[in-house]
Amino acid sequence: MSRSGRPTADKPLPPLYAMTHGGLEAIAADEITRDLGGDVKKTARGLVVFRVAELTEQILSLRTTEDVFLLAWGSDSLTYTAEDLDTIRHWTARKPDWPHLFKLHHKIRPKTKGKPTYHIVCQMQGEHGYRRADAREAFIDGLAGQIPRGWHYSNENAWLELWLTIHSNTAVCGVRLSDRTMRHRTYKLDHVAASLRPTVAAAMVRLAGIGPGMTVLDPFCGAGTILAETLVVARQRRAGGAVRVLGGDIDPNAVFVTAQNLVHVGPADLARWDATALPLERASVDRIITNPPFGKQLSSPDAIEPLYTAAAAEWDRVLKPGGRAVLLVMEQDILKRVLQARRWSATRQMRVRLLGQPCVVSVWNKPPERS
Ligand SMILES: C[S@@+](CC[C@H](N)C(=O)[O-])C[C@H]1O[C@@H](n2cnc3c(N)ncnc32)[C@H](O)[C@@H]1O
C-alpha cells in the first residue's frame, strides 16, 4: 500500500460495506456513488456493498450511512442451521487477508497512544437454529492466530473492531472504519423526545435536493437535526449563493435545544411558533423538510388529521410553486389525503422503522404555477 492509499499491484483494495438505517440503502448508495465516486456492487436492507478506487478519510464524511467497514467476507446463502457456524469459522479463518485489512484500517484510524486494543462485535437478527453467542464463538474460533500478539481485548473505545453481522440469510464480516461519531455526529449535544437519527435526517435532506441560494424550512424542528444536516450540505454547496435555513417549534425548550445544537454547525433563523400559523410570507421557501409529531406524541391520535390538515395549508402557502417537501410520518394515509387534496404529487416513498414503529419518508412536489 502506498502512502496515497492506492492499492499496490499485488494487493487490490477489498470491497467496503456500509450499514444504513433499514429502508434508506438506496439513498446511501446514491451518496456513495455521486459524492464518493464509489462503485456500488450490491444493496440489501440496511446494507450497501461497494468499491472505491482509493481509500481515504473521505469515506468517513458519508452522512447517510451509520457505519462503514472493510469487507472481510460476505455471504447471502446462510442456511439458518448450525452448518452456518462452520461457514463462519472457516470463512473467517481462510477467506480474508487479515494483515492487509489491518494495514488499511490503520491508514484511516492511526494508532492512538498506549497498547493496541481490539473488540469483537457479533450482531444477529432473524430466527436461526443457533444462538448469537454460538455465532460469536465461531467467529472468535475463526480469528484464532489472526490478531497480532500484543493487542489487547477491550470492551470500550477499542482502536480496532471486528464485526460479524447476520441478518436473515445474509452475513457480512469486516473491520470497522467509522466510529460512533458517524452515526451520532458531534453537534448533537442535546436531545428532545422523538428526535431523529442524524443519518435519517441526512437522507431526507439528500432527497430534498438542496441547491445554492435556496431557503429551507423545518416547521417542527425538535432538536434541529434536519436543520443541522441541511446546514452541512449547504456548506458543501455554497458556490452560487448561501442557503437560508429556517426552523421553529411550538415547544420553547425545543427551540433552545436546536439553537444549542447548531452553535458549531451554522446560522439558522429560529423561532417559537405554531406550525399551523407560520410567520412567513407566501411562496417564500424552496424546500420543506420535516417530521411532524406522530399520533402517539399528541394528546389523542384523533388530533393528527386536524394538525396535518392545518399544517399542510401552511406548507402550501409558504412553499414556492414547483417547490419540494420531504416528510416523515407514521400516519402516511392521512398525509396523502391532505396533500393530494392540494394537488401535490408524491414522487418517492420509502418505508422505515422509527422508535419501533413503521413510518414513511415521502417526497412531494407542489404543482408549478399555472400560466
Ligand atoms: C417528531 S418531533 C421532531 C423531531 C425533530 N425532527 C428532531 O430531529 O429532533 C415533532 C416536533 O413537533 C413539535 N410540535 C408539535 N406540535 C407543533 C405545532 N403545532 N407547531 C410547531 N411544532 C409543533 C413538537 O414539540 C416536537 O418537537
Side-chain angles (χ1 to χ4, degrees):
M1 169 63 65
S2 70
R3 278 191 72 78
S4 70
R6 285 195 188 85
T8 47
D10 53 336
K11 296 225 167 151
L13 274 177
L16 295 120
Y17 64 97
M19 303 276 206
T20 74
H21 195 87
L24 300 178
E25 47 286 331
I27 303 162
D30 183 70
E31 185 186 16
I32 288 166
T33 309
R34 290 179 196 234
D35 297 11
L36 199 65
D39 182 13
V40 171
K41 295 291 172 196
K42 176 190 158 96
T43 59
R45 191 156 177 96
L47 177 75
V48 183
V49 181
F50 63 102
R51 282 187 177 275
V52 286
E54 207 176 323
L55 185 64
T56 69
E57 277 186 8
Q58 206 198 339
I59 201 102
L60 303 180
S61 62
L62 288 170
R63 302 206 65 84
T64 60
T65 57
E66 300 260 313
D67 265 307
V68 180
F69 302 80
L70 290 158
L71 182 72
W73 61 264
S75 165
D76 50 15
S77 49
L78 292 187
T79 60
Y80 298 88
T81 70
E83 275 176 30
D84 293 343
L85 300 176
D86 287 331
T87 306
I88 293 168
R89 205 173 290 115
H90 287 130
W91 286 27
T92 303
R94 309 231 175 98
K95 285 224 168 206
D97 179 348
W98 289 110
H100 183 46
L101 293 177
F102 293 160
K103 247 190 201 164
L104 293 169
H105 163 271
H106 306 343
K107 183 180 144 40
I108 301 296
R109 308 213 71 90
K111 198 174 108 36
T112 46
K113 275 192 196 149
K115 289 176 180 160
T117 51
Y118 72 100
H119 184 67
I120 290 172
V121 175
C122 176
Q123 299 176 321
M124 192 163 103
Q125 269 183 45
E127 289 284 312
H128 294 80
Y130 45 90
R131 300 168 309 157
R132 186 169 64 94
D134 302 324
R136 181 183 163 86
E137 207 175 293
F139 184 31
I140 291 171
D141 284 353
L143 284 169
Q146 306 289 356
I147 309 287
R149 279 171 199 275
W151 289 17
H152 292 261
Y153 192 79
S154 168
N155 272 323
E156 269 180 42
N157 299 325
W159 169 48
L160 182 139
E161 291 182 14
L162 297 153
W163 283 50
L164 171 65
T165 303
I166 299 171
H167 190 178
S168 306
N169 68 339
T170 302
V172 277
C173 172
V175 181
R176 191 186 190 195
L177 293 177
S178 48
D179 66 11
R180 61 180 299 285
T181 59
M182 177 172 265
R183 59 173 75 186
H184 295 298
R185 314 292 203 243
T186 47
Y187 63 76
K188 230 169 163 184
L189 307 171
D190 240 332
H191 282 268
V192 299
S195 192
L196 272 186
R197 290 174 86 93
T199 60
V200 176
M204 293 172 71
V205 170
R206 197 167 177 87
L207 286 166
I210 291 169
M214 284 188 177
T215 298
V216 181
L217 166 70
D218 181 354
F220 298 93
C221 73
T225 326
I226 290 171
L227 300 176
E229 294 302 320
T230 302
L231 283 165
V232 172
V233 170
R235 214 164 39 212
Q236 292 162 350
R237 313 217 168 137
R238 208 179 160 82
V243 172
R244 183 167 179 230
V245 173
L246 310 176
D249 199 286
I250 204 159
D251 175 359
N253 183 54
V255 181
F256 174 76
V257 166
T258 294
Q260 298 282 91
N261 284 341
L262 298 187
V263 163
H264 301 294
V265 190
D269 293 334
L270 304 177
R272 183 193 169 250
W273 63 35
D274 181 345
T276 63
L278 291 169
L280 300 173
E281 297 286 310
R282 77 178 293 280
S284 58
V285 310
D286 300 275
R287 298 287 184 262
I288 296 171
I289 315 171
T290 196
N291 80 296
F294 302 132
K296 61 181 200 165
Q297 285 178 278
L298 301 178
S299 50
S300 142
D302 296 342
I304 277 292
E305 184 140 11
L307 176 66
Y308 285 12
T309 304
E314 281 298 76
W315 301 340
D316 196 43
R317 185 180 66 80
V318 301
L319 192 63
K320 292 179 185 170
R324 188 183 297 174
V326 181
L327 308 168
L328 190 163
V329 298
M330 224 172 253
E331 294 83 359
Q332 180 71 5
D333 290 347
I334 297 178
L335 183 77
K336 251 187 184 167
R337 214 165 35 237
V338 302
L339 289 179
Q340 284 171 349
R342 296 193 169 274
R343 304 198 173 285
W344 285 28
S345 50
T347 57
R348 231 173 138 175
Q349 277 199 183
M350 277 136 288
R351 296 188 177 283
V352 296
R353 283 189 86 80
L354 287 182
L355 309 168
Q357 303 292 324
C359 296
V360 178
V361 175
S362 53
V363 183
W364 294 85
N365 286 341
K366 177 178 169 175
E369 213 146 37
R370 283 199 207 109
S371 47

